[in-house]
Amino acid sequence: MSDAAVAALVLGHAALGALCLLLGPLPRVARGRAVAAVALAGVALGVALVVARTTGETWRSVRLEPAGAAAAGAAAACAWLLVAAAVPSAERWRAGALTGAGAAGLAAFATGAWAAPALLFWTCASLAAA
């Protein structure tokens, strides 16, 4: 596994959240379906983090270790699944954006040595949700 793959596992959730923001102006039905597809990609990304937990790979201050990566990956996958299945279609893009920021912060916090980047993502997600 390369450095880029580890970075994608951790920061990919933020990219998916940003994609949900870009889908906001689409017509309601198309937006709901597109964000559901993005949410399913988020589920796959969370599962990939769980699968990669035993590799011990590193990227900057991120190290994939069994406990942190498994918890963060499972939590992110469950959150994205809820966005796809439980959130009404009209509000799905907002929930997807917040889930992306929160999942990226959780993955960075659970697998990283530095808390500052994770706290930045969590702060942004909290302010956006308020």
Side-chain angles (χ1 to χ4, degrees), residues 47-78:
V47 170
L49 184 58
V50 172
V51 170
R53 73 186 185 277
T54 59
T55 62
E57 293 289 329
T58 60
W59 171 72
R60 298 186 184 233
S61 68
V62 172
R63 180 174 175 86
L64 296 182
E65 294 180 347
C78 289

Side-chain angles (χ1 to χ4, degrees), residues 2-126:
S2 67
D3 289 348
V6 176
L9 287 175
V10 175
L11 298 178
H13 297 286
L16 292 175
L19 181 58
C20 288
L21 282 178
L22 293 175
L23 295 173
L26 289 178
R28 185 175 180 172
V29 174
R31 179 181 59 217
R33 290 180 181 161
V35 175
V38 170
L40 292 178
V43 171
L45 195 59
V47 170
L49 184 58
V50 172
V51 170
R53 73 186 185 277
T54 59
T55 62
E57 293 289 329
T58 60
W59 171 72
R60 298 186 184 233
S61 68
V62 172
R63 180 174 175 86
L64 296 182
E65 294 180 347
C78 289
W80 281 113
L81 187 61
L82 285 173
V83 168
V87 176
S89 180
E91 297 298 318
R92 197 174 286 155
W93 68 278
R94 288 185 182 99
L98 294 174
T99 299
L106 180 61
F109 187 74
T111 61
W114 293 7
L119 291 175
L120 287 173
F121 274 106
W122 276 348
T123 300
C124 292
S126 297

